[in-house]
Amino acid sequence: AQSVTQPDIHITVSEGASLELRCNYSYGATPYLFWYVQSPGQGLQLLLKYFSGDTLVQGIKGFEAEFKRSQSSFNLRKPSVHWSDAAEYFCAVGAAGGGNKLTFGTGTQLKVEL
Amino acid sequence: GAGVSQTPSNKVTEKGKYVELRCDPISGHTALYWYRQSLGQGPEFLIYFQGTGAADDSGLPNDRFFAVRPEGSVSTLKIQRTERGDSAVYLCASSLGRRGGENIQYFGAGTRLSVL
């Protein structure tokens, strides 16, 4: 069965500082990997995805993530955080078959200090 | 509309009552998904439709939960004899349903269900 671990429940960074949110997955084959962001009262917005090819993927809002098969990781990074980035971030893994139903981590709540 | 639409945005009901939650997917999306998000948790998969049929309902917690998509577009999630533990945000997503598998799911804002 597939699973996702986001070890950091809460992270606080200062505006302008760099950010890395950790994600580890468990899946038997090459996974499809996603990062979504959720603001209060909002649905999930896709930040970026990995299906295949280049292991460093770029997303919206200046985010990027790197797929590392050897570490079963897909960490999300941003070089300089903005106050508007405060939200909850979810990593998810999807199967190549089965309609790509997603398995999500428990999320990381990001707080940005001004 | 351009995105996935879910109604109502909030639903308060009493224990034992029946509720229906509606999802209107992005036009042209053949795949539709329901997830449930409890407080402090990530979304959990409930059911997936490809067209009109439920292709995978392995996430439905018990037989009180049922979902339909009769015309391959709008879907309704139905919960019978609601329990307090059913309180959560119910999220709907849709995707193009490509056979190759590289599908991106677009989510609605969710329905917050509160069972008193």
Side-chain angles (χ1 to χ4, degrees):
Chain A
Q2 58 204 52
S3 66
V4 174
T5 301
Q6 293 182 249
D8 303 306
I9 299 173
H10 299 279
I11 283 186
T12 300
V13 299
S14 299
E15 189 175 37
S18 63
L19 172 71
E20 183 169 28
L21 302 183
R22 295 183 290 166
C23 172
N24 291 96
Y25 68 89
S26 174
Y27 184 64
T30 299
Y32 293 160
L33 294 160
F34 306 82
W35 275 98
Y36 283 87
V37 61
Q38 187 177 40
S39 298
Q42 302 295 313
L44 296 163
Q45 181 184 21
L46 180 69
L47 286 176
L48 46 77
K49 64 193 182 298
Y50 172 79
F51 289 139
S52 63
D54 193 345
T55 56
L56 183 63
V57 294
Q58 302 296 321
I60 62 171
K61 303 184 180 184
F63 286 93
E64 67 176 28
E66 187 170 12
F67 170 54
K68 293 185 177 180
R69 184 188 302 274
S70 62
Q71 299 177 19
S72 298
S73 70
F74 189 57
N75 294 349
L76 181 71
R77 300 193 293 251
K78 187 170 184 177
S80 178
V81 170
H82 188 263
W83 64 266
S84 61
D85 293 326
E88 188 148 27
Y89 291 79
F90 292 94
C91 181
V93 62
N100 302 146
K101 67 181 182 185
L102 297 177
T103 298
F104 286 85
T106 52
T108 296
Q109 185 71 48
L110 174 65
K111 180 179 176 182
V112 180
E113 290 183 333
L114 300 176
Chain B
V4 177
S5 176
Q6 291 188 247
T7 54
S9 55
N10 284 282
K11 177 70 177 179
V12 180
T13 191
E14 294 178 345
K15 180 176 177 296
K17 298 290 189 183
Y18 167 84
V19 297
E20 290 189 350
L21 312 179
R22 175 189 168 106
C23 174
D24 200 340
I26 293 171
S27 178
H29 280 193
T30 62
L32 185 146
Y33 310 77
W34 284 99
Y35 293 84
R36 179 168 70 173
Q37 186 175 19
S38 301
L39 195 62
Q41 301 296 316
E44 293 179 304
F45 170 78
L46 294 176
I47 185 170
Y48 149 61
F49 287 89
Q50 182 63 254
T52 60
D56 183 350
D57 64 357
S58 61
L60 294 177
N62 52 59
D63 61 6
R64 295 186 298 106
F65 288 74
F66 189 71
V68 295
R69 195 186 184 198
E71 297 178 356
S73 179
V74 171
S75 175
T76 305
L77 178 65
K78 308 180 181 195
I79 310 174
Q80 299 177 324
R81 305 183 304 280
T82 53
E83 299 178 357
R84 293 195 179 88
D86 298 335
S87 297
V89 175
Y90 289 81
L91 296 167
C92 177
S94 69
S95 76
L96 284 172
R98 290 195 193 100
R99 289 190 178 276
E102 293 186 358
N103 292 288
I104 296 172
Q105 294 181 32
Y106 298 90
F107 284 80
T111 294
R112 181 175 299 277
L113 176 66
S114 300
V115 183
L116 304 179

